[in-house]
Amino acid sequence: MSEARKGAPKIALNMSMVKTIMWDKGPDYTFERVKAAGLSYFELSQVDMTDAFIDQVLEASAKHGVTVMSTSLNYKPLFGPNAKGFDIERDLDRIIEANKRLGVTYVRDSLIPRICIHSEEGYYKAAEDLNHYGKLLKEQGLKLYYHNHHFEFEKFNGKTGFELLVENTDPELVGFEIDVHWIQRAGHNPVKWIERLAGREDMVHLKDYRICFPDGEPSQEIFHREQCIQFAEIGEGNLDMKAIIEASVKGGAIYLPIEQDQTYGLDPFDCIRTSVKNIRDMGFGEYL
């Protein structure tokens, strides 16, 4: 199996869609079905990376032809010390060892650090620490990436927290995995951010954004909560996914992981198949 390269990215799958299945039935069951749904690259996220689990992943990867292309870690974890997965301040050596065993290059901080909540200084501190750990990981052949949500777009003196992270991290040490759904939910243009971060975004999360009027009798609450917003299969939402993929390719993306945080009662593998079909119909079959 050839590795993805700049100019010819590979569509992948983020674990969030199948995390319950992965936890309950393991990598063998999960990878077999991911492959059958049309994808060969997989992104592990928020999972306890025990030696036994890594052994299962390696065995399932070889058996089903599915390559793990990135993993996740925690830095100042938002949900406290019990967050699943490695903590970069506590587990740096284990992070390096585990990713080398898996043959993975990319490790991602996938949630806003706790210190950044309502804190401009927290973002400067986070940028400083990401540079520090990015350097240590780079020396081991690994690449540190930051994955956004919408939380980071709180403003401080005219700049968003995300801008502070981008502007105060070294491009040689820290990359960014743009999640286009959360960029949209933050009120920003995903394509513009992909263009702005060209060269720093080997990975772009493909996650569509659907408007769906909630069931039941309407109430005034629909104006005050995000009740109409859903995660959608690629091509089934409101984002211009064709423009997003084109911008990602032009910007040098290597992997484009599909992510759908909720499937609203549908079989996640059916949702994956829908996304794969729509990506193919958009003219991007060569990236599958």
Side-chain angles (χ1 to χ4, degrees), residues 183 188-198 201 247:
I183 293 284
H188 286 237
N189 184 326
V191 170
K192 295 295 185 184
W193 267 108
I194 291 168
E195 292 171 345
R196 177 171 175 175
L197 288 171
E201 50 184 16

Side-chain angles (χ1 to χ4, degrees), residues 75-76 109-117 119-131 144-154 156 159-178 193 196-197 200:
Y75 160 71
K76 308 288 188 189
D109 178 20
S110 53
L111 271 173
I112 182 176
R114 180 181 285 265
I115 60 170
C116 293
I117 300 172
S119 174
E120 182 177 6
E121 288 303 313
Y123 280 99
Y124 284 112
K125 171 62 174 170
E128 179 184 356
D129 285 350
L130 290 173
N131 283 330
L144 179 60
Y145 267 63
Y146 183 89
H147 169 281
N148 70 276
H149 287 80
H150 56 349
F151 312 119
E152 298 89 350
F153 289 83
E154 183 176 359
F156 305 93
K159 287 199 173 184
T160 66
F162 193 62
E163 287 175 301
L164 296 178
L165 288 179
V166 169
E167 293 172 4
N168 291 280
T169 48
D170 185 338
E172 296 297 317
L173 304 177
V174 180
F176 290 88
E177 183 177 49
I178 289 291
W193 267 108
R196 177 171 175 175
L197 288 171
R200 298 188 71 178

